[in-house]
Amino acid sequence: MDSPILHSLFENTTLDHSIARPVYLQLADILLDCIKTDKLRSGQKLPSTRDLAGLLQINRITVGKAYEELQMQGWLESFVGRGTFISAHLVDHEPETLTSSRHNPAIKKAGFRIPFQNYPDKATDIFIPELHLDDGYPDPSLAPLKELYRAYRNQLTRGGLYHRFGSYNDPAGPQYYRETLSDYLNTTRGLKTTAQNILSVRGTLMGINLVCTALIRPGDVVVSGIPGWKRADHNFLHAGARHIGIPVDEHGIVVETLKEICRTQKVRMVYVTPHHHYPTTVSLRIDRRLELLRLANEYGFIIFEDDYDFDFHYKHRPLLPLASADENGMVIYCGSFSKSFSPAFRMGYLVGAENVIEHLAQVRILLDRQGDHMLDNAMATILQDGTLQRYTRKAIAIYEERRDLFCGLLTDQLSDAVTFTVPEGGMTVWTTFADSINLESLAQKALRKGLLISDGKTHQYPDYSSNSIRLGFASASKDELTRSVAILKKTL
């Protein structure tokens, strides 16, 4: 070996033949570590592959592959007849400025500034027990998963592979899906659409974020009800909008308050969940619906209508969306199939005027070149053959039975602790607890007994406080609902 210093550098090197990482990459890691810690410096010659192989008692080819790996990455350079050297393009540095990744933990904090914003807490991987009164999720065991799987599989086995897999397609979604969805929405919701009015998105949140990115500018005023959905609220703030909350009573958002705001300042968008307001589940009364549309026409603001669970209404036929009465293109309508299947399925859509959808599709390319066209077309298949409609009729009957049982249990077992109104639709009961009950403590104690409920924090606002939570009944069986209420009673 050319240098006793290099000999001492490598003589204690150990390579582990029992682990999955190839030996040549282990050697490359060691060499890179020596370069980063200045044990090997710019321009320094490395031992020949024969010498280093003999010292380490490995195959010469292995050393050559390690050298080639680092040479391709730019750390080494090789010259015919002269040997292999540490790249002359590397600037010598202090050892502490470039430490070894092999001997240090994963980086926890970036070296650059991250702008602070009060985002909502992300979903954590908490233990979910068998019993849960959730935020209002569907029961995936009822969903037509086999039919969806069959339709998806058929997408993969049909011809035209290049058209399906070899190129990008329309960012608004596949034509077949948009045409089928247009017919479905026109039939079930009284909309007046064509395929050009439809944009496929990966769920409601993506739809809200896309609209905020494309149509909201810093300083724009966005109005929504309080309490509301904080995931939506934080999208408005992220876009730089000035968010104004207006009250919600037993008839939905108080539109009269919105009118007063419009008289004094320019409103860009109003976010509303009129069918079943989130989180309180109340429906927006007809006079307020009409007045909201009139105000939009008069003052020129966008109505973002989030119709997250249209299909699940029990007392009578679902109320038609605001979009069905919109004649001037003021409403952007957003729906989702997540409530039909599971939150794990990210399938949603935006409906709007053709030029709005075209604009949103152009902006969408910057975020997500296109959606899952295979899944979209599979969904179109089970829409077209009536599978989804049959499932919805079946699920409504089951969910209504569960609602009635659950509300009866709350009345019989917890009447001294809770008050609520039986919801006309949706998958959850907005339940107000007695002021003496600490919801955070209640949630912790219930979890220890095997029941998951909300602690109510997500529904608290600086100027609004209610000792209320959403207790979802749809995703639990009758037996599970009975056991859940028993745990609540015992915990209280």
mmCIF file of all heavy atoms in Angstrom, residues 12-59:
data_model
loop_
_atom_site.group_PDB
_atom_site.id
_atom_site.type_symbol
_atom_site.label_atom_id
_atom_site.label_comp_id
_atom_site.label_asym_id
_atom_site.label_seq_id
_atom_site.Cartn_x
_atom_site.Cartn_y
_atom_site.Cartn_z
ATOM 1 N N ASN A 12 -8.424 -1.271 10.347
ATOM 2 C CA ASN A 12 -9.453 -1.626 11.326
ATOM 3 C C ASN A 12 -10.862 -1.616 10.744
ATOM 4 O O ASN A 12 -11.845 -1.712 11.478
ATOM 5 C CB ASN A 12 -9.384 -0.675 12.524
ATOM 6 C CG ASN A 12 -8.098 -0.822 13.300
ATOM 7 O OD1 ASN A 12 -7.599 -1.940 13.475
ATOM 8 N ND2 ASN A 12 -7.541 0.294 13.762
ATOM 9 N N THR A 13 -10.944 -1.459 9.423
ATOM 10 C CA THR A 13 -12.256 -1.447 8.757
ATOM 11 C C THR A 13 -12.879 -2.834 8.786
ATOM 12 O O THR A 13 -12.229 -3.830 8.455
ATOM 13 C CB THR A 13 -12.108 -0.984 7.297
ATOM 14 O OG1 THR A 13 -11.611 0.349 7.279
ATOM 15 C CG2 THR A 13 -13.446 -1.036 6.583
ATOM 16 N N THR A 14 -14.154 -2.893 9.188
ATOM 17 C CA THR A 14 -14.866 -4.177 9.223
ATOM 18 C C THR A 14 -16.069 -4.117 8.292
ATOM 19 O O THR A 14 -16.797 -3.123 8.253
ATOM 20 C CB THR A 14 -15.352 -4.494 10.648
ATOM 21 O OG1 THR A 14 -16.176 -3.426 11.119
ATOM 22 C CG2 THR A 14 -14.167 -4.678 11.584
ATOM 23 N N LEU A 15 -16.252 -5.152 7.556
ATOM 24 C CA LEU A 15 -17.370 -5.271 6.622
ATOM 25 C C LEU A 15 -18.211 -6.475 7.033
ATOM 26 O O LEU A 15 -17.673 -7.547 7.321
ATOM 27 C CB LEU A 15 -16.858 -5.445 5.188
ATOM 28 C CG LEU A 15 -15.985 -4.296 4.663
ATOM 29 C CD1 LEU A 15 -15.329 -4.679 3.343
ATOM 30 C CD2 LEU A 15 -16.810 -3.030 4.486
ATOM 31 N N ASP A 16 -19.506 -6.301 7.082
ATOM 32 C CA ASP A 16 -20.416 -7.334 7.578
ATOM 33 C C ASP A 16 -21.071 -8.052 6.406
ATOM 34 O O ASP A 16 -21.902 -7.477 5.692
ATOM 35 C CB ASP A 16 -21.482 -6.687 8.473
ATOM 36 C CG ASP A 16 -22.307 -7.723 9.227
ATOM 37 O OD1 ASP A 16 -22.254 -8.902 8.845
ATOM 38 O OD2 ASP A 16 -22.992 -7.337 10.187
ATOM 39 N N HIS A 17 -20.708 -9.308 6.205
ATOM 40 C CA HIS A 17 -21.247 -10.080 5.081
ATOM 41 C C HIS A 17 -22.624 -10.666 5.385
ATOM 42 O O HIS A 17 -23.245 -11.259 4.497
ATOM 43 C CB HIS A 17 -20.285 -11.233 4.732
ATOM 44 C CG HIS A 17 -18.962 -10.760 4.209
ATOM 45 N ND1 HIS A 17 -18.666 -10.699 2.863
ATOM 46 C CD2 HIS A 17 -17.862 -10.297 4.862
ATOM 47 C CE1 HIS A 17 -17.431 -10.244 2.700
ATOM 48 N NE2 HIS A 17 -16.922 -9.989 3.902
ATOM 49 N N SER A 18 -23.096 -10.483 6.612
ATOM 50 C CA SER A 18 -24.370 -11.116 6.998
ATOM 51 C C SER A 18 -25.574 -10.213 6.815
ATOM 52 O O SER A 18 -26.715 -10.664 6.918
ATOM 53 C CB SER A 18 -24.296 -11.570 8.463
ATOM 54 O OG SER A 18 -24.189 -10.450 9.334
ATOM 55 N N ILE A 19 -25.366 -8.912 6.560
ATOM 56 C CA ILE A 19 -26.494 -7.991 6.440
ATOM 57 C C ILE A 19 -26.911 -7.836 4.986
ATOM 58 O O ILE A 19 -26.183 -8.254 4.061
ATOM 59 C CB ILE A 19 -26.159 -6.614 7.056
ATOM 60 C CG1 ILE A 19 -25.010 -5.939 6.285
ATOM 61 C CG2 ILE A 19 -25.808 -6.757 8.524
ATOM 62 C CD1 ILE A 19 -24.705 -4.536 6.775
ATOM 63 N N ALA A 20 -28.059 -7.209 4.782
ATOM 64 C CA ALA A 20 -28.627 -7.112 3.429
ATOM 65 C C ALA A 20 -27.852 -6.139 2.538
ATOM 66 O O ALA A 20 -27.790 -6.335 1.325
ATOM 67 C CB ALA A 20 -30.092 -6.693 3.513
ATOM 68 N N ARG A 21 -27.259 -5.092 3.120
ATOM 69 C CA ARG A 21 -26.571 -4.109 2.290
ATOM 70 C C ARG A 21 -25.323 -4.721 1.678
ATOM 71 O O ARG A 21 -24.464 -5.260 2.406
ATOM 72 C CB ARG A 21 -26.207 -2.875 3.115
ATOM 73 C CG ARG A 21 -25.697 -1.699 2.282
ATOM 74 C CD ARG A 21 -25.753 -0.401 3.078
ATOM 75 N NE ARG A 21 -25.252 0.746 2.355
ATOM 76 C CZ ARG A 21 -25.933 1.418 1.433
ATOM 77 N NH1 ARG A 21 -27.155 1.020 1.112
ATOM 78 N NH2 ARG A 21 -25.416 2.473 0.831
ATOM 79 N N PRO A 22 -25.149 -4.645 0.350
ATOM 80 C CA PRO A 22 -23.995 -5.260 -0.311
ATOM 81 C C PRO A 22 -22.680 -4.739 0.259
ATOM 82 O O PRO A 22 -22.574 -3.587 0.683
ATOM 83 C CB PRO A 22 -24.173 -4.853 -1.779
ATOM 84 C CG PRO A 22 -25.627 -4.580 -1.928
ATOM 85 C CD PRO A 22 -26.069 -4.017 -0.604
ATOM 86 N N VAL A 23 -21.651 -5.606 0.217
ATOM 87 C CA VAL A 23 -20.354 -5.265 0.797
ATOM 88 C C VAL A 23 -19.736 -4.064 0.093
ATOM 89 O O VAL A 23 -19.139 -3.191 0.732
ATOM 90 C CB VAL A 23 -19.414 -6.486 0.736
ATOM 91 C CG1 VAL A 23 -17.993 -6.095 1.158
ATOM 92 C CG2 VAL A 23 -19.935 -7.603 1.620
ATOM 93 N N TYR A 24 -19.891 -3.979 -1.224
ATOM 94 C CA TYR A 24 -19.278 -2.857 -1.941
ATOM 95 C C TYR A 24 -19.895 -1.526 -1.522
ATOM 96 O O TYR A 24 -19.210 -0.495 -1.461
ATOM 97 C CB TYR A 24 -19.354 -3.077 -3.460
ATOM 98 C CG TYR A 24 -20.646 -2.679 -4.116
ATOM 99 C CD1 TYR A 24 -20.814 -1.406 -4.671
ATOM 100 C CD2 TYR A 24 -21.699 -3.584 -4.222
ATOM 101 C CE1 TYR A 24 -21.993 -1.048 -5.294
ATOM 102 C CE2 TYR A 24 -22.882 -3.239 -4.831
ATOM 103 C CZ TYR A 24 -23.024 -1.960 -5.371
ATOM 104 O OH TYR A 24 -24.197 -1.613 -5.983
ATOM 105 N N LEU A 25 -21.216 -1.533 -1.195
ATOM 106 C CA LEU A 25 -21.842 -0.305 -0.730
ATOM 107 C C LEU A 25 -21.423 0.015 0.703
ATOM 108 O O LEU A 25 -21.298 1.191 1.070
ATOM 109 C CB LEU A 25 -23.367 -0.418 -0.822
ATOM 110 C CG LEU A 25 -23.956 -0.406 -2.233
ATOM 111 C CD1 LEU A 25 -25.478 -0.544 -2.188
ATOM 112 C CD2 LEU A 25 -23.563 0.863 -2.981
ATOM 113 N N GLN A 26 -21.189 -1.014 1.517
ATOM 114 C CA GLN A 26 -20.648 -0.767 2.857
ATOM 115 C C GLN A 26 -19.281 -0.092 2.766
ATOM 116 O O GLN A 26 -18.993 0.865 3.505
ATOM 117 C CB GLN A 26 -20.521 -2.087 3.622
ATOM 118 C CG GLN A 26 -21.847 -2.770 3.951
ATOM 119 C CD GLN A 26 -21.623 -4.041 4.745
ATOM 120 O OE1 GLN A 26 -20.892 -4.051 5.746
ATOM 121 N NE2 GLN A 26 -22.246 -5.131 4.297
ATOM 122 N N LEU A 27 -18.438 -0.595 1.850
ATOM 123 C CA LEU A 27 -17.120 0.004 1.672
ATOM 124 C C LEU A 27 -17.246 1.430 1.142
ATOM 125 O O LEU A 27 -16.516 2.336 1.579
ATOM 126 C CB LEU A 27 -16.278 -0.848 0.725
ATOM 127 C CG LEU A 27 -14.869 -0.327 0.406
ATOM 128 C CD1 LEU A 27 -14.058 -0.112 1.680
ATOM 129 C CD2 LEU A 27 -14.145 -1.275 -0.548
ATOM 130 N N ALA A 28 -18.170 1.651 0.210
ATOM 131 C CA ALA A 28 -18.393 3.002 -0.309
ATOM 132 C C ALA A 28 -18.829 3.943 0.806
ATOM 133 O O ALA A 28 -18.398 5.098 0.864
ATOM 134 C CB ALA A 28 -19.439 2.967 -1.426
ATOM 135 N N ASP A 29 -19.685 3.457 1.720
ATOM 136 C CA ASP A 29 -20.118 4.270 2.863
ATOM 137 C C ASP A 29 -18.922 4.676 3.722
ATOM 138 O O ASP A 29 -18.818 5.822 4.173
ATOM 139 C CB ASP A 29 -21.124 3.496 3.713
ATOM 140 C CG ASP A 29 -22.463 3.293 3.020
ATOM 141 O OD1 ASP A 29 -22.747 4.042 2.069
ATOM 142 O OD2 ASP A 29 -23.206 2.386 3.431
ATOM 143 N N ILE A 30 -18.027 3.716 3.960
ATOM 144 C CA ILE A 30 -16.855 3.988 4.804
ATOM 145 C C ILE A 30 -15.940 5.016 4.150
ATOM 146 O O ILE A 30 -15.456 5.955 4.798
ATOM 147 C CB ILE A 30 -16.102 2.667 5.083
ATOM 148 C CG1 ILE A 30 -16.964 1.747 5.954
ATOM 149 C CG2 ILE A 30 -14.750 2.942 5.750
ATOM 150 C CD1 ILE A 30 -16.448 0.337 6.066
ATOM 151 N N LEU A 31 -15.691 4.857 2.855
ATOM 152 C CA LEU A 31 -14.851 5.812 2.140
ATOM 153 C C LEU A 31 -15.471 7.204 2.164
ATOM 154 O O LEU A 31 -14.780 8.218 2.368
ATOM 155 C CB LEU A 31 -14.643 5.341 0.692
ATOM 156 C CG LEU A 31 -13.766 4.104 0.505
ATOM 157 C CD1 LEU A 31 -13.874 3.586 -0.930
ATOM 158 C CD2 LEU A 31 -12.307 4.430 0.830
ATOM 159 N N LEU A 32 -16.798 7.277 1.941
ATOM 160 C CA LEU A 32 -17.485 8.567 1.944
ATOM 161 C C LEU A 32 -17.407 9.212 3.316
ATOM 162 O O LEU A 32 -17.219 10.430 3.442
ATOM 163 C CB LEU A 32 -18.940 8.381 1.511
ATOM 164 C CG LEU A 32 -19.791 9.637 1.382
ATOM 165 C CD1 LEU A 32 -19.159 10.632 0.412
ATOM 166 C CD2 LEU A 32 -21.204 9.284 0.932
ATOM 167 N N ASP A 33 -17.507 8.403 4.353
ATOM 168 C CA ASP A 33 -17.389 8.910 5.711
ATOM 169 C C ASP A 33 -15.999 9.510 5.950
ATOM 170 O O ASP A 33 -15.861 10.571 6.562
ATOM 171 C CB ASP A 33 -17.653 7.767 6.689
ATOM 172 C CG ASP A 33 -17.592 8.234 8.131
ATOM 173 O OD1 ASP A 33 -18.259 9.234 8.446
ATOM 174 O OD2 ASP A 33 -16.877 7.615 8.934
ATOM 175 N N CYS A 34 -14.982 8.860 5.425
ATOM 176 C CA CYS A 34 -13.612 9.368 5.570
ATOM 177 C C CYS A 34 -13.433 10.687 4.824
ATOM 178 O O CYS A 34 -12.718 11.586 5.281
ATOM 179 C CB CYS A 34 -12.613 8.338 5.047
ATOM 180 S SG CYS A 34 -12.467 6.855 6.079
ATOM 181 N N ILE A 35 -14.091 10.816 3.672
ATOM 182 C CA ILE A 35 -13.993 12.068 2.912
ATOM 183 C C ILE A 35 -14.699 13.197 3.661
ATOM 184 O O ILE A 35 -14.167 14.303 3.809
ATOM 185 C CB ILE A 35 -14.605 11.890 1.506
ATOM 186 C CG1 ILE A 35 -13.800 10.870 0.694
ATOM 187 C CG2 ILE A 35 -14.656 13.226 0.765
ATOM 188 C CD1 ILE A 35 -14.466 10.471 -0.617
ATOM 189 N N LYS A 36 -15.889 12.902 4.184
ATOM 190 C CA LYS A 36 -16.664 13.938 4.852
ATOM 191 C C LYS A 36 -16.030 14.405 6.150
ATOM 192 O O LYS A 36 -16.228 15.543 6.569
ATOM 193 C CB LYS A 36 -18.085 13.421 5.125
ATOM 194 C CG LYS A 36 -18.954 13.294 3.884
ATOM 195 C CD LYS A 36 -20.346 12.829 4.249
ATOM 196 C CE LYS A 36 -21.276 12.831 3.033
ATOM 197 N NZ LYS A 36 -22.647 12.406 3.388
ATOM 198 N N THR A 37 -15.281 13.525 6.792
ATOM 199 C CA THR A 37 -14.640 13.893 8.057
ATOM 200 C C THR A 37 -13.180 14.291 7.869
ATOM 201 O O THR A 37 -12.434 14.416 8.848
ATOM 202 C CB THR A 37 -14.729 12.721 9.044
ATOM 203 O OG1 THR A 37 -14.142 11.546 8.453
ATOM 204 C CG2 THR A 37 -16.177 12.432 9.420
ATOM 205 N N ASP A 38 -12.776 14.503 6.604
ATOM 206 C CA ASP A 38 -11.423 14.977 6.274
ATOM 207 C C ASP A 38 -10.305 13.989 6.607
ATOM 208 O O ASP A 38 -9.138 14.368 6.686
ATOM 209 C CB ASP A 38 -11.130 16.323 6.957
ATOM 210 C CG ASP A 38 -11.337 17.485 5.992
ATOM 211 O OD1 ASP A 38 -11.904 17.233 4.905
ATOM 212 O OD2 ASP A 38 -10.947 18.601 6.314
ATOM 213 N N LYS A 39 -10.644 12.726 6.800
ATOM 214 C CA LYS A 39 -9.592 11.721 6.926
ATOM 215 C C LYS A 39 -8.972 11.452 5.564
ATOM 216 O O LYS A 39 -7.809 11.049 5.464
ATOM 217 C CB LYS A 39 -10.173 10.439 7.525
ATOM 218 C CG LYS A 39 -10.663 10.597 8.967
ATOM 219 C CD LYS A 39 -11.331 9.331 9.458
ATOM 220 C CE LYS A 39 -11.879 9.522 10.868
ATOM 221 N NZ LYS A 39 -12.608 8.302 11.336
ATOM 222 N N LEU A 40 -9.749 11.644 4.525
ATOM 223 C CA LEU A 40 -9.263 11.640 3.143
ATOM 224 C C LEU A 40 -9.565 13.007 2.559
ATOM 225 O O LEU A 40 -10.691 13.496 2.664
ATOM 226 C CB LEU A 40 -9.960 10.548 2.325
ATOM 227 C CG LEU A 40 -9.650 9.095 2.715
ATOM 228 C CD1 LEU A 40 -10.546 8.136 1.951
ATOM 229 C CD2 LEU A 40 -8.179 8.781 2.442
ATOM 230 N N ARG A 41 -8.549 13.626 1.932
ATOM 231 C CA ARG A 41 -8.699 15.009 1.498
ATOM 232 C C ARG A 41 -8.639 15.109 -0.016
ATOM 233 O O ARG A 41 -8.187 14.192 -0.714
ATOM 234 C CB ARG A 41 -7.609 15.879 2.138
ATOM 235 C CG ARG A 41 -7.612 15.809 3.671
ATOM 236 C CD ARG A 41 -6.546 16.686 4.280
ATOM 237 N NE ARG A 41 -6.879 18.104 4.154
ATOM 238 C CZ ARG A 41 -7.639 18.755 5.030
ATOM 239 N NH1 ARG A 41 -8.160 18.128 6.060
ATOM 240 N NH2 ARG A 41 -7.872 20.038 4.874
ATOM 241 N N SER A 42 -9.103 16.243 -0.509
ATOM 242 C CA SER A 42 -9.165 16.499 -1.946
ATOM 243 C C SER A 42 -7.813 16.263 -2.603
ATOM 244 O O SER A 42 -6.790 16.756 -2.140
ATOM 245 C CB SER A 42 -9.625 17.942 -2.185
ATOM 246 O OG SER A 42 -9.621 18.238 -3.551
ATOM 247 N N GLY A 43 -7.807 15.478 -3.701
ATOM 248 C CA GLY A 43 -6.587 15.206 -4.453
ATOM 249 C C GLY A 43 -5.771 14.036 -3.942
ATOM 250 O O GLY A 43 -4.785 13.635 -4.580
ATOM 251 N N GLN A 44 -6.154 13.467 -2.811
ATOM 252 C CA GLN A 44 -5.378 12.370 -2.225
ATOM 253 C C GLN A 44 -5.613 11.079 -3.009
ATOM 254 O O GLN A 44 -6.730 10.765 -3.411
ATOM 255 C CB GLN A 44 -5.777 12.183 -0.760
ATOM 256 C CG GLN A 44 -4.871 11.261 0.005
ATOM 257 C CD GLN A 44 -5.120 11.345 1.505
ATOM 258 O OE1 GLN A 44 -5.991 12.102 1.960
ATOM 259 N NE2 GLN A 44 -4.364 10.600 2.281
ATOM 260 N N LYS A 45 -4.529 10.323 -3.208
ATOM 261 C CA LYS A 45 -4.613 9.090 -3.972
ATOM 262 C C LYS A 45 -5.064 7.954 -3.077
ATOM 263 O O LYS A 45 -4.619 7.814 -1.935
ATOM 264 C CB LYS A 45 -3.261 8.753 -4.586
ATOM 265 C CG LYS A 45 -3.288 7.531 -5.506
ATOM 266 C CD LYS A 45 -1.928 7.271 -6.142
ATOM 267 C CE LYS A 45 -1.991 6.064 -7.062
ATOM 268 N NZ LYS A 45 -0.681 5.779 -7.699
ATOM 269 N N LEU A 46 -5.952 7.115 -3.588
ATOM 270 C CA LEU A 46 -6.437 5.950 -2.859
ATOM 271 C C LEU A 46 -5.588 4.727 -3.181
ATOM 272 O O LEU A 46 -4.923 4.670 -4.223
ATOM 273 C CB LEU A 46 -7.897 5.675 -3.220
ATOM 274 C CG LEU A 46 -8.939 6.680 -2.718
ATOM 275 C CD1 LEU A 46 -10.320 6.301 -3.237
ATOM 276 C CD2 LEU A 46 -8.949 6.734 -1.195
ATOM 277 N N PRO A 47 -5.589 3.721 -2.318
ATOM 278 C CA PRO A 47 -4.876 2.482 -2.625
ATOM 279 C C PRO A 47 -5.438 1.837 -3.885
ATOM 280 O O PRO A 47 -6.600 2.044 -4.251
ATOM 281 C CB PRO A 47 -5.150 1.611 -1.391
ATOM 282 C CG PRO A 47 -5.605 2.538 -0.327
ATOM 283 C CD PRO A 47 -6.268 3.677 -1.014
ATOM 284 N N SER A 48 -4.642 1.046 -4.540
ATOM 285 C CA SER A 48 -5.130 0.310 -5.699
ATOM 286 C C SER A 48 -6.174 -0.698 -5.243
ATOM 287 O O SER A 48 -6.233 -1.071 -4.059
ATOM 288 C CB SER A 48 -3.980 -0.418 -6.388
ATOM 289 O OG SER A 48 -3.478 -1.451 -5.560
ATOM 290 N N THR A 49 -6.988 -1.133 -6.163
ATOM 291 C CA THR A 49 -8.018 -2.112 -5.808
ATOM 292 C C THR A 49 -7.392 -3.392 -5.290
ATOM 293 O O THR A 49 -7.930 -4.031 -4.375
ATOM 294 C CB THR A 49 -8.904 -2.424 -7.030
ATOM 295 O OG1 THR A 49 -8.079 -2.875 -8.112
ATOM 296 C CG2 THR A 49 -9.692 -1.190 -7.463
ATOM 297 N N ARG A 50 -6.219 -3.773 -5.851
ATOM 298 C CA ARG A 50 -5.547 -4.993 -5.400
ATOM 299 C C ARG A 50 -5.076 -4.854 -3.951
ATOM 300 O O ARG A 50 -5.283 -5.721 -3.107
ATOM 301 C CB ARG A 50 -4.365 -5.310 -6.307
ATOM 302 C CG ARG A 50 -3.663 -6.646 -5.959
ATOM 303 C CD ARG A 50 -2.374 -6.793 -6.762
ATOM 304 N NE ARG A 50 -2.615 -6.704 -8.180
ATOM 305 C CZ ARG A 50 -3.028 -7.728 -8.952
ATOM 306 N NH1 ARG A 50 -3.236 -8.901 -8.382
ATOM 307 N NH2 ARG A 50 -3.202 -7.560 -10.247
ATOM 308 N N ASP A 51 -4.438 -3.698 -3.642
ATOM 309 C CA ASP A 51 -3.909 -3.500 -2.299
ATOM 310 C C ASP A 51 -5.021 -3.441 -1.256
ATOM 311 O O ASP A 51 -4.915 -4.054 -0.181
ATOM 312 C CB ASP A 51 -3.083 -2.212 -2.246
ATOM 313 C CG ASP A 51 -1.753 -2.342 -2.959
ATOM 314 O OD1 ASP A 51 -1.359 -3.496 -3.238
ATOM 315 O OD2 ASP A 51 -1.122 -1.308 -3.243
ATOM 316 N N LEU A 52 -6.089 -2.674 -1.568
ATOM 317 C CA LEU A 52 -7.155 -2.535 -0.582
ATOM 318 C C LEU A 52 -7.913 -3.845 -0.402
ATOM 319 O O LEU A 52 -8.310 -4.205 0.709
ATOM 320 C CB LEU A 52 -8.113 -1.416 -0.994
ATOM 321 C CG LEU A 52 -9.169 -1.010 0.045
ATOM 322 C CD1 LEU A 52 -8.513 -0.660 1.379
ATOM 323 C CD2 LEU A 52 -10.002 0.160 -0.450
ATOM 324 N N ALA A 53 -8.071 -4.585 -1.498
ATOM 325 C CA ALA A 53 -8.730 -5.894 -1.399
ATOM 326 C C ALA A 53 -7.925 -6.834 -0.530
ATOM 327 O O ALA A 53 -8.476 -7.590 0.286
ATOM 328 C CB ALA A 53 -8.948 -6.482 -2.790
ATOM 329 N N GLY A 54 -6.594 -6.795 -0.674
ATOM 330 C CA GLY A 54 -5.768 -7.654 0.154
ATOM 331 C C GLY A 54 -5.826 -7.263 1.611
ATOM 332 O O GLY A 54 -5.859 -8.132 2.500
ATOM 333 N N LEU A 55 -5.845 -5.962 1.896
ATOM 334 C CA LEU A 55 -5.905 -5.502 3.283
ATOM 335 C C LEU A 55 -7.225 -5.891 3.939
ATOM 336 O O LEU A 55 -7.267 -6.311 5.098
ATOM 337 C CB LEU A 55 -5.711 -3.993 3.338
ATOM 338 C CG LEU A 55 -5.768 -3.349 4.722
ATOM 339 C CD1 LEU A 55 -4.622 -3.842 5.599
ATOM 340 C CD2 LEU A 55 -5.711 -1.833 4.610
ATOM 341 N N LEU A 56 -8.308 -5.765 3.206
ATOM 342 C CA LEU A 56 -9.643 -6.027 3.760
ATOM 343 C C LEU A 56 -10.076 -7.474 3.594
ATOM 344 O O LEU A 56 -11.148 -7.859 4.070
ATOM 345 C CB LEU A 56 -10.677 -5.101 3.095
ATOM 346 C CG LEU A 56 -10.465 -3.600 3.267
ATOM 347 C CD1 LEU A 56 -11.537 -2.816 2.508
ATOM 348 C CD2 LEU A 56 -10.473 -3.208 4.739
ATOM 349 N N GLN A 57 -9.264 -8.242 2.846
ATOM 350 C CA GLN A 57 -9.558 -9.647 2.600
ATOM 351 C C GLN A 57 -10.919 -9.824 1.912
ATOM 352 O O GLN A 57 -11.768 -10.610 2.332
ATOM 353 C CB GLN A 57 -9.494 -10.452 3.901
ATOM 354 C CG GLN A 57 -8.118 -10.478 4.532
ATOM 355 C CD GLN A 57 -8.042 -11.370 5.761
ATOM 356 O OE1 GLN A 57 -9.057 -11.730 6.342
ATOM 357 N NE2 GLN A 57 -6.825 -11.752 6.140
ATOM 358 N N ILE A 58 -11.091 -9.045 0.862
ATOM 359 C CA ILE A 58 -12.290 -9.170 0.037
ATOM 360 C C ILE A 58 -11.877 -9.251 -1.423
ATOM 361 O O ILE A 58 -10.704 -9.079 -1.766
ATOM 362 C CB ILE A 58 -13.246 -7.967 0.237
ATOM 363 C CG1 ILE A 58 -12.551 -6.643 -0.103
ATOM 364 C CG2 ILE A 58 -13.814 -7.948 1.652
ATOM 365 C CD1 ILE A 58 -13.461 -5.432 -0.020
ATOM 366 N N ASN A 59 -12.827 -9.479 -2.286
ATOM 367 C CA ASN A 59 -12.549 -9.597 -3.702
ATOM 368 C C ASN A 59 -12.178 -8.240 -4.294
ATOM 369 O O ASN A 59 -12.760 -7.223 -3.946
ATOM 370 C CB ASN A 59 -13.789 -10.161 -4.419
ATOM 371 C CG ASN A 59 -13.507 -10.598 -5.829
ATOM 372 O OD1 ASN A 59 -13.204 -9.787 -6.695
ATOM 373 N ND2 ASN A 59 -13.602 -11.904 -6.053
#
